Amino acid sequence: MDEDQRLEDLYALNILDTAHEERFDDLTRLAARIFDVPFVLVSLIDANRQWFKSCQGLDVEETPREVSFCSHAILEDRLLVIEDALLDARFSQNPSVIGEPGIRFYAGAVLRSSKGRALGTLCIVDTVARVLEGKDRELLLQLASVVERELNHDLQLHEHREIIARGALFDPATGLPNRRLFIDRASGYLAQNGTAVVLVLGLDEYSSAILSLTQADQLKLDTDIAERIGEIFQTAFFVGALGEGRFAALYPWTPDGTALAVTAHAVYQAFIEPLAHARHRLLPTVGVSMSQEGEADITQLLRQAELARPHQISSPDQALGLYSFKMGENLQRSFQLGNRLRSAIEEDALRLVYQPKINLETGSIAGFEALLRWTDAALGEVSPAEFIPAAEHSELILSLTDWVLRAVCQQLVEWRSCGIAMQPVAVNLTAQDLLRPEFTLWLQRILAETRVTAAELVLEITERSLVDDVIQAAENMQEACDLGFTFHVDDFGTGYSSLSQLHRLPLAALKVDQSFVRELGSGNGGETICRSIVSLAKSLGLQVIAEGIETHQQLAELKKMNCDITQGFLLSRPLEVSAVAPFIESFPVTFRSTAVH
């Protein structure tokens, strides 16, 4: 028995030298009646004494440990019974045997801590020799178990309270202080010092990464992240976990910005090695906000740092963002956009325009792309370049895509009823759409409700949307293809996809991003890039679509490269719904000779 650990458990109870309590006295009185003995003790063995939490029949509170029966009892597994102390060499000369109170019989049931270490006994004592029968032995052990529970109750209650408090103040995944505790500590620092620098580090792909992990693998991922966060923020005053793959740190304010430079470097050094249990590209970014004269509270600083954190970066030098007043204005604008856009979706206040796609080989219409437009009563005409990213950073994007897809399908049905023969209409999907739960069921439900076939639609996904989870994306896309859908990759050349990713995806076409098309004829390498993309697509058996055609020279160059399909202002601006049918009816069959040659 490890005496130091035993005493540690005893002292943890904080019960030595406390007043008698009825809960223990009731049990010793009960034992005295049951066993008809003059003395019953709840005895705890300290380093040099035995101390009585409850004592029936004796008017003492403690005795030396060296003469106690209980110091022998705690060495037993469960119970020590001395039927006649005068006949036991260990006790025959004990002062309590040959003197007052004249002990002849002793039975002590061991009391243990919650960790299983002996603390003392519940013992019954008599001045006459006697035998303790088997059923009485069990009864004494049962009473001892009740005393044992009472002894450990307060400590266990305290430990449970600490666990609850820890759960309320610490992140269970990483063990770091949670948002609540971080804000409390940082607020105290700000109140005392007035100045501080707050950093928020975020892993944008964290939420999608954990969807594909088991609980055990997620725990390993969180542990790995916590270790790296600890390395990055080891010089910070306070560190906290904000949830959803975001972490905060508080530094003292310094005019030279040393902490920022060191942290920016540490971020990428810590995440150079991929996280072992995430099949995702977890690139951290850091947003920074500063309070130099106590003008901001910690909650405001956290919001500002989160706002400053870059998104969708492509190189390490883009990883750090510093909050500015302009960002605050943009945040207010974004908040207003989100509220107005939610209302626009609910009130069916959006509209679609349709841009034709032209087959360069035949000169015929190859299809249309549905483009979203929004004119708000308060905000005026809002660009898709502004409101779509705002929707992507909230839960609105799923509702927005759902609205677009349904609206396109309903329009296709209306055109069909008017006898207008439409080529497939392309609808843009985001990464959130592609990885949404029950992706295929969502598509099936819309087709069934609108009575449109999958062949009437093309689903366009951006190259960036493939980065989050290529495996899951490929599975969802294949299931959709089995229903008859066709997939094109939009904005190709601007993302992170590789040949291995493209090979595993069921694609029908690549769309050359308009930024490359715009460089055709400029001498800036646009021809080389476009030619390489066309060559790549052809080698994979894919069609090539070029967007953003604005000049005849661009169109001619793409024709020479064997580009299949084009779209852009030169060919047609996006058409309002009412202009689509007239455009189809008046479209020249001689397009190939007049526009290309």
Side-chain angles (χ1 to χ4, degrees):
M1 177 175 61
D2 189 318
E3 178 67 2
D4 290 339
Q5 290 184 336
R6 189 193 72 79
L7 289 173
E8 183 180 327
D9 283 6
L10 175 62
Y11 298 152
L13 297 177
N14 289 318
I15 200 170
L16 293 176
D17 298 313
T18 59
H20 284 206
E21 298 179 56
E22 281 299 314
R23 55 179 174 151
F24 293 104
D25 292 342
D26 286 344
L27 291 169
T28 53
R29 282 194 290 265
L30 177 62
R33 287 196 297 270
I34 291 175
F35 296 105
D36 191 22
V37 293
F39 312 116
V40 181
L41 311 168
V42 174
S43 172
L44 301 174
I45 305 303
D46 199 355
N48 299 305
R49 61 173 176 158
Q50 68 168 345
W51 177 81
F52 307 130
K53 178 59 180 174
S54 180
C55 179
Q56 298 296 324
L58 291 176
D59 191 20
V60 294
E61 292 188 352
E62 62 181 63
T63 63
R65 175 175 177 172
E66 60 187 17
V67 298
S68 70
F69 283 63
C70 296
S71 62
H72 293 268
I74 62 173
L75 301 176
E76 301 294 325
D77 183 35
R78 301 180 69 199
L79 188 67
L80 173 65
V81 178
I82 308 298
E83 295 180 348
D84 189 340
L86 288 174
L87 302 179
D88 192 309
R90 293 172 295 176
F91 305 106
S92 60
Q93 299 302 312
N94 189 291
S96 298
V97 175
I98 61 178
E100 293 295 331
I103 297 173
R104 293 288 298 279
F105 168 80
Y106 171 91
V110 181
L111 304 173
R112 298 186 181 277
S113 70
S114 59
K115 297 178 180 177
R117 300 187 181 104
L119 304 173
T121 70
L122 169 65
C123 60
I124 57 176
V125 181
D126 206 341
T127 56
V128 296
R130 57 190 291 178
V131 176
L132 193 67
E133 302 292 345
K135 62 179 181 180
D136 288 335
R137 289 174 181 247
E138 289 302 318
L139 184 55
L140 180 60
L141 289 170
Q142 290 174 9
L143 282 173
S145 69
V146 177
V147 174
E148 188 177 277
R149 283 198 298 272
E150 290 298 318
L151 280 174
N152 289 294
H153 175 267
D154 289 347
L155 178 60
Q156 290 175 333
L157 182 60
H158 175 71
E159 289 174 343
H160 287 316
R161 285 172 176 165
E162 282 194 334
I163 291 172
I164 293 172
R166 185 167 185 83
L169 297 174
F170 290 85
D171 176 59
T174 63
L176 294 171
N178 64 11
R179 173 186 284 271
R180 175 182 172 186
L181 183 54
F182 177 83
I183 287 176
D184 181 68
R185 290 177 174 177
S187 295
Y189 178 89
L190 271 177
Q192 184 175 358
N193 296 277
T195 62
V197 177
V198 172
L199 282 69
V200 171
L201 180 149
L203 299 163
D204 285 338
E205 299 83 2
Y206 175 83
S207 296
S208 59
I210 63 175
L211 291 176
S212 60
L213 298 180
T214 65
Q215 186 172 1
D217 282 343
Q218 183 180 342
L219 179 59
K220 293 176 183 176
L221 173 63
D222 289 332
T223 301
D224 194 357
I225 290 175
E227 290 176 354
R228 300 189 190 196
I229 293 300
E231 295 172 3
I232 294 170
F233 292 145
Q234 57 183 323
T235 60
F237 271 37
F238 306 117
V239 180
L242 305 180
E244 299 298 324
R246 288 154 39 249
F247 303 87
L250 181 142
Y251 288 83
W253 183 83
T254 56
D256 61 0
T258 302
L260 306 186
V262 171
T263 300
H265 177 72
V267 165
Y268 270 86
Q269 287 300 313
F271 283 86
I272 285 176
E273 291 297 325
L275 292 162
H277 302 281
R279 300 176 303 178
H280 302 265
R281 197 166 176 269
L282 296 182
L283 284 179
T285 57
V286 175
V288 182
S289 61
M290 291 181 286
S291 173
Q292 298 181 28
E293 299 295 338
E295 72 276 7
D297 62 24
I298 187 60
T299 304
Q300 183 180 358
L301 289 174
L302 283 172
R303 283 198 301 264
Q304 291 174 349
E306 180 65 41
L307 179 62
R309 189 167 63 84
H311 296 275
Q312 294 185 337
I313 65 171
S314 58
S315 63
D317 59 359
Q318 300 172 339
L320 191 69
L322 184 64
Y323 176 80
S324 66
F325 179 75
K326 183 64 176 179
M327 288 180 175
E329 294 180 338
N330 292 341
L331 178 62
Q332 292 181 345
R333 168 76 173 183
S334 177
F335 181 76
Q336 186 181 24
L337 276 178
N339 287 336
R340 301 291 296 182
L341 182 57
R342 181 177 286 104
S343 298
I345 295 171
E346 294 172 353
E347 297 168 6
D348 214 27
L350 303 167
R351 79 181 196 279
L352 292 170
V353 293
Y354 296 84
Q355 185 168 39
K357 299 178 181 181
I358 307 302
N359 187 308
L360 280 180
E361 178 65 27
T362 64
S364 60
I365 298 173
F368 291 83
E369 180 178 2
L371 301 172
L372 190 58
R373 296 293 183 264
W374 177 29
T375 303
D376 183 78
L379 302 175
E381 187 72 25
V382 186
S383 169
E386 183 180 14
F387 70 79
I388 290 180
E392 287 181 330
H393 291 144
S394 72
E395 79 288 352
L396 278 179
I397 191 61
L398 298 180
S399 299
L400 185 63
T401 306
D402 189 83
W403 185 93
V404 171
L405 192 55
R406 291 177 185 276
V408 168
C409 289
Q410 290 164 1
Q411 187 59 56
L412 284 168
V413 171
E414 184 175 334
W415 279 325
R416 185 196 305 155
S417 67
C418 295
I420 300 172
M422 283 294 295
Q423 293 295 323
V425 175
V427 176
N428 293 284
L429 302 185
T430 66
Q432 294 97 313
D433 295 312
L434 191 57
L435 298 176
R436 71 165 71 204
E438 300 183 338
F439 174 74
T440 309
L441 291 177
W442 168 63
L443 295 174
Q444 286 178 310
R445 187 163 48 248
I446 292 178
L447 293 182
E449 291 174 2
T450 58
R451 298 185 180 181
V452 168
T453 65
E456 296 176 81
L457 297 165
V458 170
L459 302 180
E460 291 192 359
I461 57 175
T462 63
E463 190 181 2
R464 291 178 183 273
S465 69
L466 302 176
V467 175
D468 289 336
D469 190 339
V470 176
I471 295 176
Q472 186 60 55
E475 291 177 2
N476 288 348
M477 290 170 65
Q478 187 56 59
E479 290 179 1
C481 286
D482 293 341
L483 297 177
F485 284 99
T486 299
F487 282 92
H488 295 174
V489 173
D490 197 5
D491 300 336
F492 187 78
T494 62
Y496 309 105
S497 64
S498 64
L499 285 176
S500 61
Q501 289 177 336
L502 293 177
H503 267 299
R504 71 176 63 173
L505 300 174
L507 299 172
L510 298 183
K511 292 186 71 175
V512 182
D513 186 68
Q514 59 183 327
S515 62
F516 302 130
V517 173
R518 195 177 299 120
E519 296 297 323
L520 287 174
S522 66
N524 293 328
E527 293 86 350
T528 301
I529 296 175
C530 289
R531 190 175 292 107
S532 298
I533 294 176
V534 171
S535 177
L536 171 64
K538 297 296 184 180
S539 69
L540 295 174
L542 306 177
Q543 281 192 317
V544 182
I545 304 171
E547 58 184 351
I549 313 299
E550 296 181 352
T551 69
H552 286 283
Q553 183 180 5
Q554 292 168 354
L555 192 63
E557 290 291 339
L558 290 166
K559 176 66 175 177
K560 293 176 184 177
M561 296 177 190
N562 292 321
C563 180
D564 299 295
I565 297 171
T566 56
Q567 66 182 91
F569 285 2
L570 176 68
L571 309 173
S572 173
R573 288 182 174 272
L575 304 170
E576 298 290 343
V577 171
S578 59
V580 171
F583 178 85
I584 295 174
E585 293 171 359
S586 63
F587 190 76
V589 294
T590 58
F591 171 80
R592 181 174 50 165
S593 60
T594 58
V596 179
H597 294 291

